[in-house]
Amino acid sequence: MLRGLLTGFFLFFTLHILAAENTDSHKSSFSVPVTLDRLEAAIEAKGMHVFARIDHAAGASKVDMTLRPTELLIFGNPKVGTHLMQESQTAGLDLPLKALAWEDAEGQVWLTLNTAEYVASRHGITGQQETIRKMTAALDAFARTATTAGQ
């Protein structure tokens, strides 16, 4: 019994650490909708395309379930993503990029994105270091703009 509990704890802890290493979460000063409005504006200001916005809480309410505010923004730039998919077409599973704005149990809003390094690593992309570096900088700038007052 104790061995099973310890194994379960280790597995949960390991998966939590792996998820944390593959994503960046930014504490937001705004509500979920406002955070994504700000993110969408920043993305579009840089000439990128917003493909979709999904309100998971609204979806949950349609099936008589509740979910704290949770919205997903799907966005990208084919000029960038195509380079990654030319090296590994399976990168299309993670492209376009996604950003999740969500409210935790204490009412704090977060914006979470996969890291560019994770996408490259997951799909064995090794020849696009400069692209990954630029993506990382852009994602960080977008997240700061979306989550921080005065940006």
Side-chain angles (χ1 to χ4, degrees):
M1 171 96 168
L2 181 59
R3 175 185 250 172
L5 286 173
L6 289 174
T7 301
F9 175 77
F10 177 75
L11 181 59
F12 172 80
F13 183 74
T14 301
L15 291 175
H16 181 73
I17 294 297
L18 288 174
E21 289 176 358
N22 297 328
T23 61
D24 280 332
S25 290
H26 302 261
K27 187 183 282 192
S28 181
S29 300
F30 308 102
S31 67
V32 165
V34 170
T35 298
L36 277 196
D37 288 346
R38 291 171 60 93
L39 179 62
E40 190 168 348
I43 287 166
E44 289 177 340
K46 290 295 184 184
M48 295 177 68
H49 183 72
V50 172
F51 294 97
R53 185 166 172 170
I54 300 166
D55 185 338
H56 288 300
S61 71
K62 289 180 181 178
V63 293
D64 297 321
M65 297 178 74
T66 59
L67 182 66
R68 289 185 302 274
T70 307
E71 292 186 32
L72 181 74
L73 193 71
I74 302 172
F75 64 96
N77 181 345
K79 289 182 181 179
V80 176
T82 301
H83 290 294
L84 301 178
M85 287 187 278
Q86 285 175 328
E87 186 167 333
S88 176
Q89 280 187 277
T90 62
L93 287 168
D94 293 305
L95 299 172
L97 297 167
K98 295 159 205 70
L100 184 72
W102 54 284
E103 183 180 298
D104 69 18
E106 288 76 41
Q108 175 60 57
V109 173
W110 298 89
L111 180 67
T112 302
L113 305 97
N114 284 333
T115 65
E117 292 88 356
Y118 166 70
V119 174
S121 173
R122 178 175 177 191
H123 299 284
I125 297 169
T126 59
Q128 297 291 328
Q129 292 85 358
E130 184 62 17
T131 300
I132 298 303
R133 187 192 65 72
K134 288 179 181 179
M135 284 176 65
T136 298
L139 291 173
D140 187 56
F142 292 150
R144 280 186 278 113
T145 298
T147 60
T148 307
Q151 292 282 325

